[in-house]
Amino acid sequence: MKKKVRNFIREHHMVEKGECVLAAVSGGADSLCMLLILLELQQELGITLRVVHVEHGIRGQESKKDAAFVEDFCSQRQIPCKVFFCDAKTYARERRMSLEEGARELRYQYLQQTAEEFGADKIALAHNQNDCAETMLFHLARGTGMKGMCGIRPVRQKIIRPLLCVARSEIEAYLAEKGQGFCRDQTNEELLYARNRIRHQVIPVLSKINANAVSHINQAAAFVTEAVELLDDLTKQSLQAYVHEKDGGTCILQELQQEKQVVRRAVIHKALQKEAGKSQDIAMIHVKQLEQLFAMQTGKKINLPYNIEGQKTYQGVLLRRQAERAHESSQVLDLEALATGSLYISSHGYQIQTRLLDKIPQNEEIPKKMYTKWLDYDKIKGNMRMRTRQKQDFLVIDAQGSRKKLKKYFVDEKVPEYQRDQVLLLADDTHILWVIGYRVSEDVKVTQHTKRILEIQVNGGTTHE
């Protein structure tokens, strides 16, 4: 295994002689295996090693024991080690992230900070072939483009992943051979998380079909990565040929239509990102809308995220940011028609997906995501509206029916004033059922007495799930 990892490091030019490598070590099997192998290769590669451990404050005393384990392991081998203790739950809640997202963001912040303090040239993470396969399957299940099928890359700027050439079974066998104990995170066994279900339920089934399933998925990810790199080169060439600034916006020339669809869509996506000034929330649905606009009559317009307007011109399609509007016109959602189906909110670039459930599905919990909510279907009266705020809007905030003005809710939640007119609301008259991206009104929440559930999922626009 040592030879395999050494060859992989050299193949991808992960380190150079004289460099300092910061190893992120949780104390689990993967990271401990990585640290042991790097120690064995330290002289041969001509590198120095440093270690960082981040204790997220999620698992109480168990995670503190992990931190102590890593500190002791490094102390015995005289490896400089830095340990950070943080509160990932509070961090995620204050930034309206999932716990997983918040913990990951904190972890990378500490990695960068420690790399600077130690003067580290590279940061080594312990992802292995199973992690890559799980990531690829996770993206495929949720829906993804080619980049989501690339899995995990061996090298990304200062980040290196020396164990991406080995499977988890090889790691466990290596540690057993060395007689080396390691920490176990029990949350990795819980099937509440999608990635854990893939790890414990999907991968084992695929491995029964073919013992080399994990390795083959990694090979496919590598092939897709090569294809994406080629597509990126073709996209750059086409951007120069077909996209330019015009009339305060971004013009995509009609001649782009002669290119292959995969190139067309990549160019449109990049052009829309350019006009928006960011890539987040630019989805395939928006690219397809712009594709359709090329075939429409001159003068036709569509609304896109970030208040961008697409207009068909004689030359092609012009993307231009519009002046902010204080209030959008509301859109009625017929309760019966919406029970199972979808709706596009053009003013925000939202795609609304719904389904009606007769009961809580087995093995499912009430969604805690910001942009997927369950409402008690029978407690909703009349038609709902998707709109922005109006005077007298209120939420019900407790089981006793207490009300809070929407304006005060925004103040309490520290929503910036300039954003408040852009937040989309699901409303029944002035009664706000759901502040999209925030909370649901207490009186329509699902309880043990709920008979029918309306699930509403918001995609695109400014969502982050």
Side-chain angles (χ1 to χ4, degrees), residues 101 142 280-281 367-373 434 457-460 462-465:
E101 289 172 329
R142 293 189 65 181
Q280 196 172 34
D281 309 320
K368 297 178 182 178
K369 297 180 179 180
M370 295 164 57
Y371 293 94
T372 302
K373 295 296 180 186
W434 179 19
Q457 182 176 354
V458 178
N459 299 300
T462 54
T463 67
H464 299 281
E465 286 182 1

Side-chain angles (χ1 to χ4, degrees), residues 389-407:
R389 64 174 177 165
Q390 297 176 359
K391 289 185 177 180
Q392 309 307 319
D393 281 347
F394 69 92
L395 298 98
V396 175
I397 59 170
D398 59 33
Q400 289 69 47
S402 303
R403 296 183 176 187
K404 178 182 283 190
K405 291 287 187 182
L406 180 65
K407 181 178 180 179

Side-chain angles (χ1 to χ4, degrees), residues 248-268:
T250 301
C251 180
I252 310 173
L253 298 178
Q254 191 73 27
E255 287 77 7
L256 174 65
Q257 299 305 296
Q258 68 191 16
E259 298 292 341
K260 296 287 186 182
Q261 185 183 70
V262 66
V263 176
R264 288 203 311 269
R265 289 184 171 179
V267 170
I268 291 171

Side-chain angles (χ1 to χ4, degrees), residues 327-330 385 387-394 405-407 420-421 425 427 429-430 432:
H327 295 280
E328 299 284 350
S329 58
S330 65
R385 288 179 180 270
R387 61 169 174 80
T388 49
R389 64 174 177 165
Q390 297 176 359
K391 289 185 177 180
Q392 309 307 319
D393 281 347
F394 69 92
K405 291 287 187 182
L406 180 65
K407 181 178 180 179
R420 297 173 192 172
D421 285 329
L425 309 167
D429 195 14
T430 56
I432 304 304

